[in-house]
Amino acid sequence: MLTKRLIACFDIISGRVTKAVNFQDNIDIAPAEQLAESLYNAGIDEIIFYDITASSEKRRIDIETVKRVAKCVFIPFAVGGGIKDLDDMYEALKAGAEKISIDSMAVRNPQIITEGAKAFGSQCVVLSTQVKRTDSKPSGYEVYIDGARIATGLDALEWIKRGQELGAGEICLNSIDCDGTLGGYDLRLMKMAEENLSIPLIASGGAGKPEHLRDLFTQTDAHAAIISSMLYSPRMDRNYSSGELKEYLLECGINMRR
């Protein structure tokens, strides 16, 4: 049985980690490298780093922050935001990232998924997708880009299936409706997604207590969970360490990395 993974997701503005609710009202948390080192030492399995204003500001990823974070951690580290072409992917990998997460640019130029997979291997390419509930799409969810600011007209399920066909090695699926709310993952969305994928699914958006992780891993076949708020959000009554979350999940019979 494959082990499940706990992933810290950093929304980066000017080299600092921030935390938002539904992609709004970001609260400053800490320098990215400082928080990365702390979570690495506490046993987090992976880190995903999003330069969240790069796409909307039409600039490239903050490569200096990528370098600083990469020096502090020795676990899988994915980066995204402002990745426009293979040169950007190469620069991020050279700076210390192990995976590239593409989101808005993949919608604008789907072939970047295939190009990245061919150049660096599918395992390096994560298709990150922000989706919102709607009655206008067959799946009930629509894809948004540019920090969840712009609706694309794409059906979420059809888009992630296409991303898999184009060569993505993982799908990171975030519910805009649940993001930062601490009310739990959108289990309907995640179950529908994993049933239509043969590559790993990372679930994102909504985790606020250990039971939410238990429900995700027992009610869906998601391979990994993003748990940002639980780790460091000031909106939480208390924060959790990855170690205590893993112990709880192991007690629930869920196979976790130690």
Side-chain angles (χ1 to χ4, degrees):
M1 182 188 302
L2 291 175
T3 55
K4 305 297 186 179
R5 293 171 283 148
L6 299 182
I7 301 176
C9 179
F10 291 179
D11 289 343
I12 302 290
I13 297 177
S14 300
R16 297 182 66 87
V17 179
T18 67
K19 197 72 192 78
V21 176
N22 305 131
F23 286 78
Q24 297 178 354
D25 303 322
N26 288 71
I27 296 174
D28 181 78
I29 303 296
E33 63 272 23
Q34 176 182 311
L35 186 58
E37 185 172 19
S38 174
L39 296 178
Y40 166 68
N41 289 333
I44 197 70
D45 294 314
E46 296 187 23
I47 293 173
I48 295 180
F49 161 140
Y50 294 124
D51 185 342
I52 60 173
T53 58
S55 293
S56 61
E57 293 174 357
K58 312 300 182 193
R59 60 172 174 78
R60 299 184 186 279
I61 194 168
D62 180 354
I63 205 72
E64 293 306 314
T65 302
V66 175
K67 290 178 181 178
R68 291 197 300 272
V69 171
K71 289 179 180 178
C72 297
V73 301
F74 302 93
I75 50 176
F77 171 41
V79 301
I83 302 293
K84 295 179 172 59
D85 52 34
L86 289 183
D87 287 341
D88 289 340
M89 291 185 178
Y90 175 72
E91 288 301 315
L93 293 170
K94 187 170 69 172
E98 292 189 6
K99 302 177 187 179
I100 303 299
S101 175
I102 45 178
D103 186 339
S104 302
M105 185 51 61
V107 171
R108 293 188 170 100
N109 174 25
Q111 285 306 309
I112 194 173
I113 302 172
T114 304
E115 292 168 1
K118 287 182 177 178
F120 308 112
S122 290
Q123 79 284 350
C124 282
V125 180
V126 180
L127 176 60
S128 180
T129 304
Q130 321 299 325
V131 306
K132 193 171 186 178
R133 296 186 192 107
T134 179
D135 293 329
S136 67
K137 301 299 171 189
S139 70
Y141 299 87
E142 183 176 2
V143 175
Y144 279 65
I145 59 173
D146 291 348
R149 297 176 183 87
I150 298 175
T152 65
L154 292 171
D155 179 84
L157 183 59
E158 291 306 312
W159 173 236
I160 62 173
K161 288 164 62 178
R162 186 180 179 201
Q164 174 177 262
E165 293 167 359
L166 288 169
E170 288 183 295
I171 302 292
C172 182
L173 183 60
N174 186 63
S175 165
I176 296 169
D177 303 287
C178 296
D179 187 84
T181 64
L182 312 179
Y185 296 96
D186 187 332
L187 296 179
R188 175 183 177 272
L189 170 64
M190 300 307 165
K191 187 167 183 59
M192 178 176 62
E194 54 90 356
E195 287 176 346
N196 283 273
L197 294 172
S198 59
I199 58 177
L201 172 69
I202 302 168
S204 179
K209 56 184 181 180
E211 290 81 4
H212 294 153
L213 292 165
R214 177 200 63 196
D215 293 346
L216 174 72
F217 289 137
T218 57
Q219 296 181 38
T220 82
D221 286 333
H223 291 70
I226 285 177
I227 54 170
S228 303
S229 292
M230 299 179 72
L231 296 171
Y232 59 78
S233 174
R235 294 187 175 98
M236 294 283 293
D237 292 332
R238 60 157 295 193
N239 292 128
Y240 296 86
S241 73
S242 52
E244 64 182 314
L245 291 172
K246 288 181 181 182
E247 286 302 317
Y248 167 79
L249 293 168
L250 285 164
E251 290 173 3
C252 294
I254 297 164
N255 193 21
M256 303 300 300
R257 295 182 179 183
R258 293 181 182 271

